[in-house]
Amino acid sequence: MDQTPAQWNDEAARAVIRDHVGEEGPLLPILHALQESFGHVPRAAEPLIAEALNITRAEVHGVISFYHDFRREPAGRHVLKLCRAEACQSMGSEANARRLLDALGLDWGGTTPDGRITVEAVYCLGLCATAPGALFDDEPVGRADAATLEALVAEAA
Amino acid sequence: MKIFVPQDMAAVAVGANRVAAAIEAEARARNIPVTIVRNGSRGMFFMEPLVEVATASGRIGYRNIGVADVPGLFEARFFDGAPHARCVGHVEEIAYLAKQTRFTFGRAGIIDPLSLEDYRHHGGYKGLEAALSAGPAAIVAAVKESGLRGRGGAGFPTGIKWETVARAQADRKYIVCNADEGDSGTFADRLIMEADPFMLIEGMTIAGVAVGATKGYVYIRSEYPLAIRMMRRAIEIAERAGYLGSGINGSAHDFDLEVRVGAGAYVCGEETSLLESLEGKRGQVRPKPPLPAIEGLFGRPTIINNTISLASVPFILAEGAKRYAEVGYGRSRGTMPVQLAGNVKQGGLFECAFGVTLGELVDEIGGGTASGRPVKAVQAGGPLGAYFPPSMFDTPYDYEAFAKRDGLIGHGGLVVFDDTADMAQMARFAMEFCALESCGKCTPCRIGSTRGVETFDRIRAGIEPEKNLALVRDLCETMKFGSLCALGGFTPYPVLSAINHFPEEFRAPKLPAAAE
């Protein structure tokens, strides 16, 4: 991803929220937009959203924590999502993933200390006929065997 | 000359964008004028990237093309459809395609997905025209007569759902497309949105006309970034052309459409949970009744259908309900886009009439495993579907026949496993996945799945396997009958089928699953 997410600031966040307040069921579009702008949805977002939508902060927190997509902290400069669902398992995804995580010294969801890469689990990318599948930043990767993953990670700056 | 390079996510995942760029650069260097069309995929993913060339005698294909192959293609004059080691001849004559009955996927891979002109040229919007002249009651009657059943997995008659919404009185009604295609081994919804997005728009518009709904939402999972972009652009194009908005296609009907993006929750593929999510809430399942058809999105009568179901409607209206219903098997009428996935040699989408056997699909169409090893099991219908051993490959592809054998066809996915698969691990994974994705609303699913994982860990460690297997069966009973929705209710399918068909794998102690 070339666009580095902006630093969190309340004013910019309020503007993002305002863009969606008039929509039907605006909360998910707001959360997606915040994550897109800032790379994550920090706790500081909760009171701002609650105020704009006239709901409680607890409700906002409940929604953010329910969905796997929303990050509470910024991710690394690159995000590698590895599919762990059945079709990819049938093609050896688990062993590939374990090898990669071990090489990076990470567990699922972890970020390398230099902030270079975050490795996350995903359950199905619809690439099941060219398994194993992965998503590197926004780029889909099919037939992602151990060597392919290694090369991807080596290229990530 | 026209060259087609798919922009489908799976084709891109194996290098289609790089191939398209290489062809463009090579053509420029050789001063050969080419037009590159980024079509959708034909669904033959084992051939991707599949480059096609338009010739006087039809489209000629070149399979599994990488960047390094591009200069050679030019040397061989592929742009004239000339022979080449990777040439597969006329694409439409490839057995994998020729054997299909493409009612819904007839345009996939052929047209430029964002060209309304292409869409109309290939029969697009004929269904809406027929629907507008027939009127709401006749549309609902046609969908009922077609025998179309919910392709998301439940198999509920689509026409009955529509009739219920049509009869409901309200100030506002909604059409919601469930494009939260989370089942592993499935990609039909994705293919529809990336290869033929106007078909889905047309299907939803027809639904809107049928029941008097003026607003539609397409709820797409966030794991499908390309499908999201394609649908959004297709909606803009349809709006500009008067196919969406007020007075669609010159009629008195208004219909607006909007894409909403999921946020990584599998359970939101369950219809009531999806509605909660659209409303901006946690994706927790609602008890039924009330049915969404009576009290759905924002409390209004709502048609919520799977992507394939809605995308099947234009054909039914354009070609007639009889044409759709005349193929099929028993109470499963029409076609199903079967998705061959996992460890399979020829993975892809195969749309065919119901009634073909599981064995034909896996062995003949799929060509067996990708690894070349024997098939051990096929998981039919996603993570909540049963594992079928080859001894059950005579099962006809049909909702009732699968149910009779304690399985389900679900959303049409078939995930093939070779003989290296660890079925005890797969059974444990089914519980683990349920625990991970449970919305937490009901106890059997929320707690049962976690207890299931723990019990499997004891079995795998060789601790009282018989006693613990009995405990798992008991737990499955509770989950099956006590859960609010299919997540907890159907997790027993993969678990019990693995235990019943592969009992020996649960007896021998194994090393514990990799620590997580």
Side-chain angles (χ1 to χ4, degrees), chain B residues 143-164:
Chain B
V143 175
K144 273 172 80 176
E145 194 194 337
S146 74
L148 178 65
R149 294 166 71 176
R151 297 288 188 247
F156 186 81
T158 305
I160 306 280
K161 244 187 200 182
W162 287 29
E163 191 169 54
T164 311

Side-chain angles (χ1 to χ4, degrees), chain B residues 1 452 462 467:
Chain B
M1 48 204 68
K467 197 178 139 200

Side-chain angles (χ1 to χ4, degrees), chain A residues 24 32 62 67-69 84 142, chain B residues 174 217 222 260 264 281-282:
Chain A
E24 280 187 320
H32 277 301
Y67 295 98
H68 299 304
D69 276 6
R84 300 190 69 189
Chain B
Y174 293 98
Y217 287 101
S222 61
R260 283 295 172 91
K281 299 175 188 158
R282 293 161 68 88

